[in-house]
């Protein structure tokens, strides 16, 4: 194996272990693993590499779950800058970060700020994947929640209705009905 391949394997191993801890709610166990994965990525591939953007996003997600919103935001934004620089602002990886930024703002109760991110994520994924993809449906549900949080129930209902033909396929009819009531 090359040094880069060894580093990539180590980062993947650390992230897998951290994700397992995170899924079990053991955030204090996951954090040092994600931090080590980020440091390894920056050292092996550089601070502006796509590999580093993945590590940044992983750590940001953990911080969001921990309620450390102010720590998560700059990590998401740095990951987004890397992705946009390397892949372009309309890439699916950028859509994932926009989705996560929308979720962060939702968790903060800053629904209007989150709406901007969620709308952009929907636009990118719909364009790239088509309207009938599960990731688009997840983005639509996130956007609807942000609209609901602002009291924009009519707009949320209209948005869901416009997309209901595929959303019910991926999300289940009962979920879509509950979102639209």
């Amino acid at each position: 194996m090359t040094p880069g391949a060894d580093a990539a394997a180590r980062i993947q191993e650390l992230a897998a272990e951290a994700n397992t801890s995170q899924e079990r709610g053991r955030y204090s166990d996951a954090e040092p693993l994600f931090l080590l994965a980020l440091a390894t990525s920056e050292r092996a591939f550089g601070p502006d590499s796509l590999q580093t953007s993945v590590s940044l996003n992983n750590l940001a997600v953990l911080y969001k779950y921990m309620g450390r919103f102010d720590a998560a935001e700059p990590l998401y934004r740095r990951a987004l800058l890397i992705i946009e620089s390397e892949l372009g602002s309309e890439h699916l990886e950028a859509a994932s970060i926009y989705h996560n930024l929308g979720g962060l703002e939702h968790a903060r109760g800053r629904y209007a700020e989150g709406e901007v991110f969620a709308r952009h994520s929907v636009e990118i994924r719909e364009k790239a994947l088509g309207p009938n993809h599960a990731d688009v449906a997840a983005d639509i549900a996130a956007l609807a929640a942000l609209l609901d949080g602002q009291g924009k129930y009519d707009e949320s209902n209209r948005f869901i209705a416009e997309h209901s033909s595929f959303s019910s396929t991926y999300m289940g009819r009962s979920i879509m009905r509950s979102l639209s009531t």
Side-chain angles (χ1 to χ4, degrees):
M1 264 194 199
T2 65
D6 287 343
R10 178 68 177 138
I11 293 163
Q12 192 171 29
E13 178 183 295
L14 289 165
E17 187 177 343
N19 280 324
T20 298
S21 293
Q22 181 176 301
E23 289 166 4
R24 293 180 176 161
R26 295 191 336 244
Y27 301 143
S28 62
D29 293 340
E31 183 179 16
L33 296 168
F34 279 136
L35 286 167
L36 183 55
L38 176 58
T40 303
S41 179
E42 289 177 323
R43 190 172 49 256
F45 301 105
D48 298 323
S49 69
L50 289 173
Q51 179 62 51
T52 296
S53 74
V54 172
S55 295
L56 288 163
N57 183 62
N58 287 342
L59 184 58
V61 168
L62 174 69
Y63 285 160
K64 179 191 159 208
Y65 289 159
M66 294 173 78
R68 294 175 57 188
F69 304 140
D70 290 340
E73 183 177 7
L75 299 174
Y76 281 136
R77 289 188 182 276
R78 185 172 156 213
L80 183 61
L81 284 173
I82 293 168
I83 290 166
E84 289 181 335
S85 173
E86 294 295 316
L87 303 173
S89 61
E90 299 301 311
H91 194 275
L92 287 172
E93 292 300 322
S96 293
I97 302 296
Y98 282 119
H99 178 93
N100 290 348
L101 280 164
L104 177 65
E105 296 305 336
H106 184 269
R108 285 176 155 166
R110 295 175 6 184
Y111 306 116
E113 291 88 345
E115 178 186 346
V116 174
F117 295 123
R119 283 189 187 280
H120 198 53
S121 184
V122 169
E123 291 167 5
I124 293 169
R125 289 194 196 187
E126 228 173 12
K127 184 177 177 184
L129 302 172
N132 297 326
H133 195 277
D135 289 346
V136 176
D139 284 342
I140 289 166
L143 177 55
L146 288 159
L147 292 169
D148 285 350
Q150 297 173 74
K152 297 180 178 179
Y153 304 114
D154 290 341
E155 185 177 354
S156 175
N157 288 339
R158 274 194 312 277
F159 194 76
I160 290 171
E162 290 171 6
H163 295 87
S164 65
S165 63
F166 73 91
S167 296
S168 62
T169 302
Y170 291 102
M171 299 182 70
R173 294 183 196 289
S174 63
I175 292 172
M176 293 310 296
R177 276 195 298 274
S178 69
L179 286 173
S180 63
T181 57

